[in-house]
Amino acid sequence: MNKNQSIGRAFLRRAQLGLLATSSLLVAGLAACRQEPPAVFSKGASERVDELTTEIQKTLTAATDGWVLEYYPHGQHLYGGYPVSITFGDKGEVLMASDAPLAKHKTDAVKSNYHLKSDKMVSLSFDTYNEAFHLFSDPDKSYGAGEGKSFEGDYEFAIVRSVSPDTLYLKGRKTGTVMRMFRPKTSAKEYLAQVMELKKQAYTAERMYKEHLYGLTGKLGGKDVVAYLNNDGYNVMKIEDAESGKATEVPFVYTPEGLSFFRPYNGVTTLEWKEADKSYNTTAGDKLTARVDPDYKGFAEYLGTYELTYAGLDKPATVTFEQAARNRYRITGMIPKQPKFVLYADYNAKQDRFEINTQKLENTGGAFLAVWAAPAGTNLSWGSGFGMYSKLDASYTTGKRYKLVDNGVWGGFVAASYILWKPKVGEYRAFGVSQFQQPVFTKK
């Protein structure tokens, strides 16, 4: 008998009997396993859990090519799921690599430690820092919901059940989410590499906006739908029923073949990518194909280079509007010789204008672009949604010049300018310039 199969069967047999007796750990799935002699129950519950912990240790380390965990941070699965490759060593060491919703994220394996705990149940803990994995649970990172929360993921899990020697289910201690961990047919490293290669070919939110596409249309479970990939790059698909208009947020994880839903939608659990016609396909023959983005033509009118003026600037600054995401601009150059100062603007297709609202600044440790009432007043705020939008200056006839106008969200105050502000600190001056009074953008 294969050694791995032997270890797996021993693990399942002990788990099915020992932990069902303690009602602390559910291990199920092999109806064909024969009942052990009553003598097994002569051992105390803690001893049985200890023995199970040993068997799980053997099962984990026997997979020398590693495991893949379909990891879902956040209890509400707001960010979708990501494959994590995990190779366990027999001395508590572990190699981990992951996909993640971060720009320039590296999938190199990182070494750290893990350990199994046995109390009333068996739990698996990755309790030494690993950048490839703890980026999902580190509250000091400014990802997801921002500093203090980030992605709000797990790093401790209860092992709750198994359906085969090659598949375990882990329950996050913090989120309560049950996640699948399995031994892939290839190595875990190769599996992750195949996922990353698939993402270069298949439609992702980034690829779609770069190709000026928006929305996937077709059928799922026999019903007409329009599906939208998340504009922030998270692995969540919003699926709208074409007949009823009902929208459902469906978290998913990418696989080497396409993607797998966290929960079924109209009976559909997986979508396979077919490069030949660039479509996502169900096993029943339904498919989703991309459609042209109706907003792109108007959005593109604002791309390019501008001269920016504001009070205190010796000469106009050269500012560039680049595409950052669908209907989103990345603005650089507002502060001369400060390439790390970046702002973002959104395109309002209905009003055909760009809007610059309050936002948390990159590379500042928590400073904001705040709206400011200057020069008419001194009030300021970094409250969500406050900002200004572009208005074409009709008096300027040699090109296109845009003044910024208050968007009307700031209660009884009127925004006319911006100021860089750090809560509990004050005006943020690290970039040299911190005030943008009555900015004007002139298209080159």
Side-chain angles (χ1 to χ4, degrees):
M1 179 179 291
N2 179 279
K3 181 180 179 181
N4 292 341
Q5 289 179 331
S6 178
I7 291 172
R9 289 174 182 172
F11 161 50
L12 290 175
R13 184 165 60 249
R14 291 175 183 273
Q16 189 178 36
L17 298 174
L19 291 188
L20 283 176
T22 64
S23 298
S24 300
L25 182 63
L26 300 178
V27 181
L30 293 182
C33 286
R34 66 180 178 83
Q35 183 74 24
E36 289 286 351
V40 171
F41 297 97
S42 64
K43 297 180 181 180
S46 62
E47 184 178 357
R48 292 196 299 275
V49 174
D50 288 342
E51 288 182 355
L52 179 62
T53 302
T54 300
E55 296 299 342
I56 292 175
Q57 173 79 23
K58 291 178 181 178
T59 301
L60 294 177
T61 57
T64 55
D65 283 336
W67 298 77
V68 172
L69 172 64
E70 293 178 333
Y71 181 82
Y72 284 83
H74 198 276
Q76 301 300 317
H77 318 131
L78 299 182
Y79 309 111
Y82 304 88
V84 180
S85 69
I86 309 174
T87 303
F88 297 91
D90 56 10
K91 295 182 180 179
E93 72 278 13
V94 66
L95 283 175
M96 308 182 81
S98 67
D99 183 17
L102 305 175
K104 300 179 181 180
H105 174 70
K106 295 181 179 180
T107 57
D108 299 335
V110 180
K111 188 175 182 179
S112 59
N113 296 97
Y114 76 97
H115 75 264
L116 293 168
K117 301 177 184 179
S118 56
D119 186 6
K120 293 182 179 180
M121 58 171 53
V122 180
S123 61
L124 172 63
S125 176
F126 301 98
D127 50 6
T128 59
Y129 195 82
N130 186 304
E131 179 62 32
F133 185 66
H134 289 91
L135 67 90
F136 292 108
S137 57
D138 186 351
D140 292 332
K141 298 292 186 182
S142 58
Y143 313 137
E147 292 176 20
K149 290 187 176 181
S150 193
F151 292 124
E152 301 180 76
D154 290 288
Y155 61 89
E156 290 187 320
F157 306 85
I159 301 178
V160 292
R161 61 189 171 98
S162 173
V163 295
S164 78
D166 296 331
T167 304
L168 300 174
Y169 282 86
L170 312 182
K171 183 177 182 179
R173 285 289 185 87
K174 179 178 179 179
T175 65
T177 299
V178 177
M179 313 173 204
R180 183 172 73 119
M181 187 170 74
F182 63 95
R183 295 175 64 173
K185 294 178 181 180
T186 182
S187 69
K189 179 180 179 180
E190 180 60 24
Y191 182 97
L192 184 58
Q194 290 174 2
V195 169
M196 303 311 293
E197 187 61 30
L198 180 280
K199 290 178 66 177
K200 293 178 182 178
Q201 301 174 12
Y203 284 139
T204 61
E206 182 178 9
R207 180 180 174 185
M208 290 188 72
Y209 81 69
K210 287 182 176 180
E211 295 184 13
H212 319 317
L213 304 171
Y214 183 58
L216 299 162
T217 61
K219 293 180 181 293
L220 287 179
K223 293 186 176 182
D224 291 325
V225 299
V226 181
Y228 300 94
L229 294 168
N230 184 274
N231 203 35
D232 291 321
Y234 302 134
N235 289 349
V236 178
M237 182 181 286
K238 184 174 77 172
I239 305 176
E240 293 181 356
D241 184 289
E243 182 177 352
S244 68
K246 180 182 178 181
T248 305
E249 299 280 343
V250 183
F252 67 87
V253 60
Y254 281 104
T255 70
E257 294 77 31
L259 53 87
S260 176
F261 292 156
F262 180 77
R263 63 180 69 89
Y265 178 86
N266 283 353
V268 176
T269 57
T270 61
L271 293 176
E272 180 183 358
W273 172 254
K274 291 187 178 180
E275 182 65 22
D277 63 352
K278 300 189 184 304
S279 64
Y280 282 109
N281 298 262
T282 71
T283 55
D286 291 339
K287 70 169 56 180
L288 297 176
T289 55
R291 65 181 186 181
V292 174
D293 187 347
D295 295 349
Y296 183 74
K297 184 177 180 181
F299 171 86
E301 289 294 318
Y302 292 102
L303 294 171
T305 305
Y306 296 77
E307 283 189 349
L308 169 66
T309 59
Y310 51 83
L313 194 62
D314 295 334
K315 60 179 181 179
T318 299
V319 172
T320 302
F321 277 50
E322 300 173 316
Q323 186 169 18
R326 181 180 185 267
N327 287 354
R328 171 159 285 200
Y329 305 97
R330 183 176 186 267
I331 306 174
T332 56
M334 286 189 64
I335 301 178
K337 298 181 181 180
Q338 289 290 347
K340 289 187 177 181
F341 182 74
V342 177
L343 292 181
Y344 293 90
D346 295 311
Y347 174 63
N348 184 324
K350 290 183 179 180
Q351 302 295 332
D352 188 24
R353 66 194 189 196
F354 68 83
E355 302 175 348
I356 304 177
N357 292 337
T358 54
Q359 56 196 272
K360 198 170 189 178
L361 301 174
E362 299 175 351
N363 310 306
T364 63
F368 286 81
L369 177 76
V371 289
W372 189 24
T378 59
N379 297 89
L380 62 92
S381 177
W382 55 93
S384 178
F386 302 162
M388 294 187 282
Y389 62 85
S390 62
K391 184 176 182 180
L392 189 65
D393 183 353
S395 66
Y396 187 75
T397 58
T398 58
K400 292 186 176 181
R401 173 173 288 173
Y402 300 97
K403 296 181 178 181
L404 297 189
V405 179
D406 177 71
N407 66 9
V409 179
W410 192 16
F413 302 104
V414 176
S417 306
Y418 298 102
I419 187 170
L420 307 187
W421 197 265
K422 193 167 187 178
K424 299 181 180 180
V425 176
E427 191 168 350
Y428 186 77
R429 295 185 171 90
F431 290 113
V433 173
S434 57
Q435 301 178 6
F436 307 92
Q437 287 198 40
Q438 299 177 302
V440 175
F441 295 83
T442 304
K443 188 78 179 286
K444 285 189 174 183

